[in-house]
Amino acid sequence: MTRSSPPESVADLQRLDSLTTRTADPSGAPAENRDRITVRDPATDAVVGSVPACTPEDVSTAVDRAREAQQSWAERPVSERAAVLSRYHDRVLAHRQELLDLMQLESGKARQDAFEELLDVATNARYYASEGPGMLSSERRRGAFPLLTKTVEHRHPVGVVGVVSPWNYPLTLAVSDALPALLAGNAVVLKPDEHTPFTALRAVELLREAGLPDDLFQVVTGRGPELGEPLISSVDFLQFTGSSEVGRIVASQAGEHLIDCSLELGGKNPMLVLSDADVSKAAAGAVRGSFTTAGQLCISFERIYVHESVFDDFCDEFVERTRRLELGAAYDYGPDVGSMLSAEQVDKTERHVEDALSEGATVLTGGRRRPDLGPHFFEPTVLTDVPESATLSDEETFGPVAAVYPVSSTDEAVARANDSDYGLNAAVWTEDTAVGESVARRVDCGTVNVNEAFAATWASVDAPMGGMDDSGLGRRHGEHGLTKFTESQTVSTQRVVPFATPRRVPGWVWERFMIGNLRGLKRVAGLRSRVRAVAEKLPGGRR
Ligand code: NAD
C-alpha cells in the first residue's frame, strides 16, 4: 500500500513560508529566486513544498528580533507565561489530526508513532505550565553565618535560546525543549531539520495562536553546517538534538563562544532479558523498542542481550511478532511501521546489514528493502550471530535492525550492555522488579526502563532525561530541563557581624570566634549526616 496525495488538512503548507525569518537576500535576488530547500514525502518521494534556505544574515535578524521581544516577555508574571503553555496544550490537542498528518507527510512515520509525539508535546506543556512557575521562584539558601547572612538564589532567563532539531521527531524535538525555555522568560530561535520544517513552522504558529508574542519564537529554515555557527555565535544557550558527530562540532563552537549547551545525541541502546523474564512481554517490548519510527528513534534498541536459558524462546517470539508487523504508509492507524526518511538512511541500514552478514551474522527475519511499498521502506530486521567485527555491533544504525545475543549471566548482560561509547537508554526485563531496579542502576545509561521499552522514562517528564558518555551533555525534562535555561544569581545580605575582622577586636579573638563557629557548623553537619544515615536504613528509605 502506498499513499498518494497528502490529506486536505496539509494542502496549504506554503502559507507557512511567511513564518520563516528572512532579511533581504544579500545577493539582491528577488524573493522568488532565493535559494530554497525542497521538502519531500519520504513514503512517495513526492514534493510537498519548499522552504527558504536562510542565510547567516537571516539568523542574525532572527536573533535580534527575538532579543528585543524577550525583554518584555521576561517582565511578564510567570503565571502569564505559563498560561500560554496551558493554552498551547489545548490547541495541540484540538489540531491533532492536522499535526499527525503533517508529521507523517514529512517524516514518513506510522500514525501511532506520530501520536506519541503529540502526547509528548501536550505532556510537556501541561507539566511546565503547572510545575514550572514554582521551580523558577527565588529560594532561600543557607547563609554563610546562620541567622546573620541572608542568602537568596534568584533565577533569570539566559536571553535567547538557540534550538537545533533533527527530523526523526519533528514536532517533539522542535518544541518540547523550547517550552520550558519560553516559560523561563527566554526567546527562542529554532533551526529545524531540512527534511521536516513544516511541522516546526506549524507548531510555532500554534504557539502564537496560544498567545505567544509574534517575534519571541523565530524559525530559520536552512542547512545545519551553514547556520550552526552564526546561530551559536549570537545566542546565549544552545539546545541541540542530533548525532554525536555534529554534537561534537556544535559543542566546540559553544565552547568557543562561552555559552552553555545541552546536547541530546545518538545511542546504541541495549535491552537486557534476564532468565526469569516473561518472554512474551519481553518480545513485545523488543518489537516496540526496536521498530518504533522504523528504528529511527534515538532511544530504540539495537542490541538485545538475552539469558541463554530463554534465548530460543525469546527469539521465536520476537521473530513471530516482528513478522506480524504491517509495513506501509497510510494516514490512519493501519500500518505498524512506516517509511524511513531518505535514501541515505535506507542505504546505511542496508550497508550495516550486508556487512554483518558478510561477517557471519544470520538474519532471523527481514533484512531487505521494500521498493514495492515506496522508495524508503526497509523490513523490520532481527539478526543473530553478529560478530564484534561487524560495523553494527557498536555503531548506531538508526534503522529497523536489532541484533540478539545470548548471555550466560546477568553480570555478562550488564558488562556487554556497558561495553559501548554511548549511554542513552536501556531496558531490563524480569519478573522480579526489585532485581530489575538494581540491575538498572548498574547499566551506564541516562534512562533505564524496567519491563518497558522507553516510554516509562521518557514520559516521566518530572525526571531528567538524557545521555551519558557520547550520548550527550545535560538533561531535558524535570526541574533541570527548565533551570538550565536560566542564570542563577545569589544575593546575600550580611547582618550585624561583618566578615572581615572587626576594627577593635584583636586578631586572636576573632580567630577563636571563627574557629568556634566552624567547629559548631561541623557538629551540625555531622548531626545531619547521622540523621540521614538512620533514615536511609528505615524501610523505604532513600539511598
Ligand atoms: P544530525 O546531527 O545530522 O542533524 C541534526 C540537526 O543538526 C539538523 O537540524 C541539522 O541540520 C543540524 N546540523 C547538521 N550539521 C550541523 C552543523 N555543522 N552545525 C549545526 N547544525 C548542524 O542528526 P540527524 O541525522 O538529523 O538525526 C539523527 C541523530 O540524532 C541520531 O544519531 C539520533 O540518535 C540522534 N537523536 C538524538 C536524540 C536524543 O534525544 N538523544 C533524539 C533524536 C535524535
Side-chain angles (χ1 to χ4, degrees):
M1 178 190 8
T2 50
R3 59 181 182 217
S4 48
S5 53
E8 211 165 292
S9 68
V10 290
D12 184 20
L13 293 177
Q14 276 322 137
R15 77 186 165 74
L16 295 172
D17 224 36
S18 62
L19 290 171
T20 60
T21 314
R22 276 171 290 166
T23 51
D25 189 332
S27 70
E32 61 276 19
N33 293 352
R34 269 191 85 159
D35 186 15
R36 295 186 71 86
I37 296 171
T38 303
V39 181
R40 292 175 184 276
D41 173 355
T44 62
D45 223 19
V47 172
V48 300
S50 71
V51 289
C54 289
T55 61
E57 289 80 8
D58 297 328
V59 172
S60 166
T61 304
V63 175
D64 288 349
R65 281 187 197 153
R67 203 173 283 292
E68 205 179 321
Q70 189 262 336
Q71 310 275 331
S72 51
W73 174 247
E75 281 163 16
R76 287 204 203 173
V78 67
S79 57
E80 272 184 34
R81 303 197 301 257
V84 173
L85 267 59
S86 183
R87 287 194 294 272
Y88 188 57
H89 169 276
D90 299 345
R91 286 204 85 72
V92 164
L93 297 192
H95 289 265
R96 64 185 179 279
Q97 300 305 340
E98 175 198 351
L99 287 170
L100 293 172
D101 289 344
L102 188 46
M103 281 184 265
Q104 285 200 277
L105 174 68
E106 284 192 312
S107 72
K109 63 172 60 186
R111 198 157 188 89
Q112 63 193 16
D113 298 335
F115 184 60
E116 289 195 349
E117 292 203 55
L118 198 107
L119 292 178
D120 175 75
V121 170
T123 302
N124 275 288
R126 185 204 66 224
Y127 172 72
Y128 283 114
S130 68
E131 306 303 318
M135 297 169 187
L136 292 171
S137 52
S138 299
E139 274 191 68
R140 275 295 280 269
R141 299 285 171 205
R142 219 168 284 142
F145 287 110
L147 305 177
L148 304 180
T149 318
K150 178 188 166 201
T151 296
V152 180
E153 181 189 354
H154 301 284
R155 296 209 163 265
H156 301 289
V158 290
V160 180
V161 173
V163 176
V164 177
S165 60
W167 46 264
N168 65 329
Y169 276 69
L171 180 67
T172 285
L173 299 172
V175 290
S176 282
D177 295 310
L179 295 175
L182 294 166
L183 183 78
N186 298 290
V188 170
V189 178
L190 166 68
K191 207 295 294 166
D193 190 87
E194 295 86 312
H195 297 90
T196 52
F198 289 120
T199 304
L201 287 166
R202 182 62 180 126
V204 171
E205 190 177 48
L206 285 174
L207 260 169
R208 291 185 185 174
E209 288 167 21
L212 200 75
D214 273 3
D215 278 348
L216 195 72
F217 197 141
Q218 301 282 327
V219 186
V220 281
T221 51
R223 302 183 179 94
E226 285 165 32
L227 303 188
E229 211 280 328
L231 182 69
I232 294 163
S233 66
S234 51
V235 296
D236 306 296
F237 186 100
L238 175 71
Q239 173 68 44
F240 174 84
T241 307
S243 61
S244 300
E245 188 190 349
V246 177
R248 282 197 172 84
I249 299 172
V250 297
S252 76
Q253 291 168 346
E256 189 70 27
H257 294 283
L258 280 183
I259 61 162
D260 203 355
C261 61
S262 190
L263 310 175
E264 321 291 338
L265 309 178
K268 185 76 191 174
N269 306 302
M271 167 168 154
L272 289 68
V273 183
L274 308 192
S275 58
D276 70 334
D278 179 320
V279 164
S280 171
K281 287 185 197 158
V287 168
R288 223 167 74 72
S290 305
F291 306 130
T292 289
T293 306
Q296 303 163 116
L297 166 66
C298 55
I299 45 184
S300 68
F301 304 131
E302 298 194 356
R303 305 179 286 146
I304 304 182
Y305 300 106
V306 186
H307 193 272
E308 59 196 10
S309 62
V310 291
F311 183 77
D312 291 341
D313 288 349
F314 173 83
C315 287
D316 290 349
E317 186 89 23
F318 186 23
V319 166
E320 200 205 311
R321 285 175 181 270
T322 302
R323 286 194 180 132
R324 287 210 300 262
L325 292 173
E326 188 193 325
L327 187 59
Y331 291 100
D332 59 32
Y333 288 98
D336 302 296
V337 180
S339 170
M340 297 188 75
L341 178 86
S342 60
E344 201 185 341
Q345 287 298 122
V346 188
D347 290 349
K348 183 178 182 196
T349 304
E350 189 175 54
R351 251 192 341 270
H352 275 200
V353 171
E354 280 176 358
D355 167 76
L357 297 185
S358 72
E359 296 285 324
T362 309
V363 176
L364 295 181
T365 186
R368 292 177 307 147
R369 286 170 181 267
R370 290 295 300 272
D372 54 316
L373 298 173
H376 307 130
F377 283 87
F378 198 92
E379 287 177 341
T381 300
V382 180
L383 302 176
T384 189
D385 306 322
V386 175
E388 270 183 27
S389 54
T391 307
L392 66 68
S393 74
D394 57 1
E395 203 181 286
E396 183 186 41
T397 303
F398 215 53
V401 181
V404 192
Y405 305 88
V407 289
S408 58
S409 65
T410 298
D411 285 348
E412 187 191 346
V414 172
R416 294 187 64 181
N418 288 344
D419 185 16
S420 169
D421 292 337
Y422 294 108
L424 191 55
N425 180 52
V428 180
W429 294 81
T430 169
E431 285 298 277
D432 186 335
T433 51
V435 168
E437 286 163 16
S438 125
V439 170
R441 291 174 62 167
R442 295 168 56 203
V443 177
D444 299 337
C445 285
T447 51
V448 188
N449 300 268
V450 177
N451 294 337
E452 220 294 311
F454 54 82
T457 48
W458 181 280
S460 298
V461 295
D462 190 37
M465 192 280 149
M468 297 181 182
D469 303 320
D470 289 1
S471 290
L473 281 181
R475 297 287 184 269
R476 53 164 58 104
H477 293 169
E479 187 163 349
H480 180 73
L482 171 66
T483 55
K484 69 182 176 183
F485 298 118
T486 63
E487 289 280 13
S488 74
Q489 180 193 45
T490 300
V491 176
S492 291
T493 308
Q494 189 63 21
R495 294 182 284 216
V496 188
V497 177
F499 257 76
T501 314
R503 263 259 200 91
R504 270 181 245 122
V505 177
W508 65 270
V509 174
W510 183 247
E511 179 186 314
R512 284 209 180 161
F513 170 74
M514 288 302 282
I515 295 296
N517 224 318
L518 289 177
R519 288 194 173 128
L521 289 172
K522 170 94 187 306
R523 270 196 291 278
V524 173
L527 201 64
R528 279 173 196 269
S529 306
R530 281 202 291 283
V531 170
R532 205 174 305 123
V534 171
E536 275 175 11
K537 288 190 187 125
L538 295 175
R542 273 185 74 174
R543 250 164 293 156

